[in-house]
Amino acid sequence: MREKGLFRFTLLLVLLAALLAGCSSNGAKAPADEGASNAPAETDGGEDAEGNEPINFTFFDRNVGDSFDNPVAKKITEKTGVSLEIQQPTGNPAEKLNLMLASNDLPDLMAISRGDILDKYIAAGALIPLNDLIDQYGPNIKEMYGDMLNKTRHTDGKNYYLANWYGLEQYPVFGFMMRMDVMKELGAGDKATNGEPFTAEEFVALLKNYKEKVPTVDGKPTIAMTFNGENMGAVSGTFKGMFGMMPYYETNGELKSDVRDPKYLEMIKFVNSLYTQGLIDPEWATIKTQQYEQKLASGTVFAATDAFWNLGKPNTVLKEEAADPSKQDESQFYPYKVIAPGVDPAKTTFGPKSSLGWDGIGITTQNADPVRAIKFLDFLASEEGQYLMMWGVEGVHWDMKDGKHVPRPEVLEGFKKDWAGYSTETGIRKWTWTIKNGPGSDGTPYDLIGRYETDPVSALAIQNLADSSFDTAIYDNLGPSGGTPEAIMQTKVGETTAKYFPRMIMAPSEADAVKLYETMMKELEAAGLPALEKIYTENYNKRKELWN
């Protein structure tokens, strides 16, 4: 009888253990003990620790809210055992993020824009440090990110997120956009495709020649150059690039606002001279994006300043309406480098790009299995994960031939016909978590659709302007923390600069432009610019020390 009772007791313990194991492996969250550590529990390295048992995570993505059920998503689940419930607000992502933080209603994983909101989550302790997890379970993360992990550390020396679109890519941003067919008609055909920059004098001569030789198109007056009044950053960014300006003016070991750079006033004088000579659209400051695109597509405009990819719509119209079908490509706007007097062409700054990426992907304190979460992110960060997210499924969307990734023609065609629709259908490039800029080990780019096949405009942009790319990472987010009195100063300074920039450009004379600049500087001083510059310098020095 004693043996029988012992057998029953033992059987009961076995059944109870099995029941508890079943409850703990279904992906449900266990309530966190108050004061418990967020560090992952130790594992014995057995099958459970290394396996791909099914688990579900909630994932807030500020960019995309599609269901995780397309072919790419299914392959990711097959490889990792992880399925995702994607959360994304229909309204303002920042409002939703602030609400979730205030209520502590957090998902398991989050993709948050780098900057103030991500810093808030870190400061509030909503994201767990990843260093130990990466050391134990992140070999691909270590290999792919390399020194980037050092640069994305928080001020306490810990990593709380993995960046996406990280790593510096030699790729242009801003440029002087000019119609190639018109350039050839004006006698500048030798520089239309050879990659040589234009001097400021050559550029001004082109604008003048256009106004003189082409006063009207289809009875409508022509415009030598126009800007998008809703995108002042592209306007100022292009002219700053021409003068080789940096995000801040560094002098005597201190960081100052770029408006203090002597080249800033020289830039204002140059743009103002274009305006007073009638070479800039007088309506530019009030033009909205749609009106801007319509003007460019009308055939009455020769030049603009912009990020070259922003002219896709007008370029499409110009191609479709080209009188000579064999010269459709020439009818488009192409980006060119124009250099200011005394500026080294190699030191122009048309391509500001941050190697630190766009978003931060983190694991929240609500995640009940951070080990599985970091293993999931480690797979996505791997070369296999990169190509899966950005190229699709091998044997379905691409094939390996002679050691290289080769996309199937129907995939390239699908994106040409309907980028958004085909991405939703296949899952290719739908999610860009942990994506790295640049090529994989076989030389093919991770970004299939953005880099594999280059259209003529992008190809010439790379030829003309890629050498002007520079890393802004050391200067990113050096301003005051959100919600502080200094943050209010920062807003006021930004508003003041934005108010005076178009006024200085459209001043009736250079003398008037200079007076407006002097008035602007007085208002900036009163708004607290000197105090802000101390913060810029302090944060800059702290960052340099942290990175070292």
Side-chain angles (χ1 to χ4, degrees):
M1 292 292 292
R2 185 167 178 267
E3 290 79 3
K4 187 174 182 180
L6 181 60
F7 172 77
R8 288 177 176 173
F9 180 71
T10 303
L11 179 61
L12 178 61
L13 288 177
V14 171
L15 291 173
L16 180 59
L19 178 61
L20 290 173
C23 291
S24 65
S25 65
N26 64 2
K29 294 179 182 176
D33 294 333
E34 290 188 14
S37 170
N38 291 324
E42 291 292 329
T43 64
D44 60 8
E47 182 178 347
D48 288 348
E50 299 298 328
N52 287 341
E53 295 78 15
I55 189 171
N56 182 73
F57 289 131
T58 51
F59 196 135
F60 178 89
D61 186 338
R62 75 179 189 94
N63 303 303
V64 182
D66 293 48
S67 298
F68 198 69
D69 58 5
N70 54 49
V72 167
K74 290 177 181 177
K75 179 59 70 171
I76 291 173
T77 300
E78 177 187 321
K79 290 283 186 177
T80 65
V82 175
S83 57
L84 298 176
E85 178 188 335
I86 305 292
Q87 302 174 351
Q88 198 264 336
T90 55
N92 187 335
E95 291 179 0
K96 177 64 175 177
L97 284 164
N98 283 319
L99 181 61
M100 288 193 298
L101 184 60
S103 63
N104 199 38
D105 181 18
L106 304 174
D108 296 306
L109 296 153
M110 304 188 78
I112 309 174
S113 178
R114 287 181 53 252
D116 281 348
I117 189 66
L118 181 56
D119 289 343
K120 282 184 182 179
Y121 267 76
I122 294 172
L127 301 178
I128 66 172
L130 305 178
N131 304 65
D132 291 342
L133 288 166
I134 293 172
D135 285 341
Q136 295 180 64
Y137 308 105
N140 293 304
I141 292 172
K142 284 185 175 181
E143 179 181 355
M144 296 291 277
Y145 279 82
D147 188 52
M148 197 54 56
L149 292 174
N150 182 50
K151 292 183 176 181
T152 54
R153 288 182 299 160
H154 193 54
T155 52
D156 61 5
K158 297 178 182 179
N159 289 101
Y160 290 90
Y161 67 89
L162 297 175
N164 70 341
W165 295 116
Y166 66 95
L168 182 62
E169 180 186 25
Q170 289 296 114
Y171 200 74
V173 180
F174 303 122
F176 286 86
M177 309 297 298
M178 292 185 270
R179 287 269 302 274
M180 184 181 287
D181 54 354
V182 177
M183 288 175 62
K184 291 184 176 182
E185 291 175 8
L186 296 176
D190 58 328
K191 284 195 172 184
T193 60
N194 68 3
E196 291 183 17
F198 289 86
T199 65
E201 293 77 12
E202 290 172 330
F203 178 63
V204 173
L206 275 174
L207 297 178
K208 289 181 176 178
N209 287 341
Y210 178 71
K211 286 297 292 180
E212 292 171 3
K213 295 181 179 180
V214 192
T216 62
V217 171
D218 296 330
K220 300 177 182 177
T222 57
I223 299 168
M225 182 163 57
T226 192
F227 311 136
N228 184 351
E230 281 193 309
N231 192 354
M232 294 288 182
V235 182
S236 63
T238 304
F239 285 107
K240 287 177 182 179
M242 171 185 176
F243 281 79
M245 292 181 61
M246 298 296 283
Y248 292 91
Y249 175 48
E250 191 166 358
T251 178
N252 298 323
E254 296 180 330
L255 280 194
K256 302 291 186 180
S257 169
D258 62 358
V259 298
R260 294 194 193 272
D261 189 332
K263 290 185 287 188
Y264 183 90
L265 185 55
E266 292 305 308
M267 175 196 73
I268 292 297
K269 291 178 180 178
F270 174 75
V271 187
N272 173 255
S273 72
L274 298 179
Y275 184 81
T276 56
Q277 294 177 77
L279 302 177
I280 293 177
D281 182 359
E283 300 177 340
W284 77 271
T286 58
I287 292 176
K288 305 298 183 184
T289 300
Q290 186 175 5
Q291 295 171 300
Y292 167 72
E293 292 175 341
Q294 289 172 346
K295 282 196 175 191
L296 296 180
S298 70
T300 61
V301 178
F302 168 56
T305 57
D306 214 328
F308 70 91
W309 52 75
N310 284 339
L311 272 65
K313 289 182 180 179
N315 272 346
T316 298
V317 174
L318 290 169
K319 284 181 66 176
E320 291 174 350
E321 297 182 353
D324 185 347
S326 67
K327 296 183 178 180
Q328 285 184 323
D329 284 337
E330 291 186 5
S331 67
Q332 300 179 98
F333 286 92
Y334 286 79
Y336 295 90
K337 179 187 291 189
V338 177
I339 53 173
V343 175
D344 183 343
K347 293 184 179 180
T348 52
T349 51
F350 290 99
K353 293 179 73 71
S354 175
S355 62
L356 300 186
W358 293 96
D359 302 321
I361 296 87
I363 302 172
T364 76
T365 53
Q366 299 301 306
N367 192 310
D369 198 340
V371 171
R372 286 297 300 277
I374 201 68
K375 288 182 177 181
F376 169 69
L377 294 177
D378 188 65
F379 170 77
L380 298 183
S382 71
E383 185 150 292
E384 180 183 1
Q386 304 279 292
Y387 280 108
L388 176 54
M389 284 193 288
M390 302 299 279
W391 284 58
V393 180
E394 182 177 8
V396 178
H397 304 115
W398 61 272
D399 301 286
M400 187 66 79
K401 297 180 180 180
D402 298 324
K404 285 187 174 289
H405 293 75
V406 179
R408 294 194 171 182
E410 60 268 24
V411 173
L412 298 175
E413 188 62 27
F415 273 96
K416 287 178 182 177
K417 289 183 177 179
D418 183 6
W419 179 308
Y422 196 72
S423 178
T424 298
E425 175 190 335
T426 62
I428 300 171
R429 212 181 191 268
K430 176 56 65 173
W431 296 288
T432 58
W433 312 313
T434 72
I435 290 300
K436 183 178 184 178
N437 282 316
S441 58
D442 67 351
T444 55
Y446 292 129
D447 184 4
L448 169 66
I449 304 308
R451 300 291 184 268
Y452 186 79
E453 282 193 343
T454 306
D455 63 275
V457 173
S458 299
L460 194 60
I462 294 170
Q463 178 181 332
N464 289 342
L465 293 155
D467 66 345
S468 70
S469 298
F470 70 101
D471 193 355
T472 66
I474 193 69
Y475 303 113
D476 289 353
N477 303 313
L478 293 180
S481 301
T484 61
E486 290 79 10
I488 298 174
M489 293 181 187
Q490 182 73 68
T491 300
K492 179 63 175 177
V493 164
E495 291 172 346
T496 301
T497 305
K499 176 179 70 175
Y500 275 95
F501 181 72
R503 293 183 184 180
M504 291 185 291
I505 289 178
M506 297 187 293
S509 69
E510 181 179 296
D512 290 309
V514 172
K515 287 181 181 178
L516 285 168
Y517 171 80
E518 292 170 347
T519 301
M520 177 186 74
M521 293 307 301
K522 290 178 182 178
E523 290 191 19
L524 291 176
E525 294 281 342
L529 182 58
L532 291 173
E533 290 171 331
K534 289 183 180 179
I535 294 175
Y536 303 153
T537 301
E538 289 172 3
N539 289 339
Y540 180 58
N541 290 330
K542 288 178 182 178
R543 179 167 298 169
K544 287 193 294 184
E545 183 179 350
L546 179 67
W547 286 10
N548 290 332

